[in-house]
Amino acid sequence: MTKPRASAPPTSSTASATISASVFKATCLELMDEIAATGSDVIVTKHGRPVVRVGPATIAPASPVGFMRGTIVRHGDLIASDEDGWATTQTDPLLTRGR
């Protein structure tokens, strides 16, 4: 007894092989290997109506552009001196040297 077989995956990226859900269920592992090898996709139908498209899982690498967007916090001007913030106190070590 031979298993029902899906049609061969097409070479064009716009056209897809179409198989019924029962054939997909019977040959799922084989189809997954074929899809991984060829990079094409398969449309699974139920009662002649397209239900799902099965295709290769392509994982794109993360883009280096904008990966830190929103993580930098601005705390004011980093170059200008903040002399008002340096109030002299009685324990200022620079004042005790000069005496």
Side-chain angles (χ1 to χ4, degrees):
M1 179 173 174
T2 59
K3 280 198 264 187
R5 183 108 171 112
S7 60
T11 56
S12 171
S13 62
T14 57
S16 300
T18 304
I19 61 171
S20 67
S22 60
V23 173
F24 176 76
K25 184 177 177 181
T27 61
C28 178
L29 296 176
E30 286 179 35
L31 286 172
M32 288 184 351
D33 291 337
E34 287 180 25
I35 290 169
T38 62
S40 62
D41 55 353
V42 175
I43 296 176
V44 182
T45 62
K46 270 187 167 180
H47 305 290
R49 193 181 101 244
V51 177
V52 68
R53 174 175 287 160
V54 180
T58 55
I59 301 171
S63 172
V65 177
F67 75 98
M68 291 190 68
R69 183 175 294 137
T71 61
I72 298 175
V73 180
R74 183 172 181 213
H75 290 289
D77 191 3
L78 299 176
I79 299 173
S81 65
D82 187 17
E83 292 180 21
D84 297 335
W86 292 91
T88 57
T89 63
Q90 293 178 354
T91 59
D92 188 358
L94 297 177
L95 291 177
T96 57
R97 281 188 189 174
R99 292 187 185 168

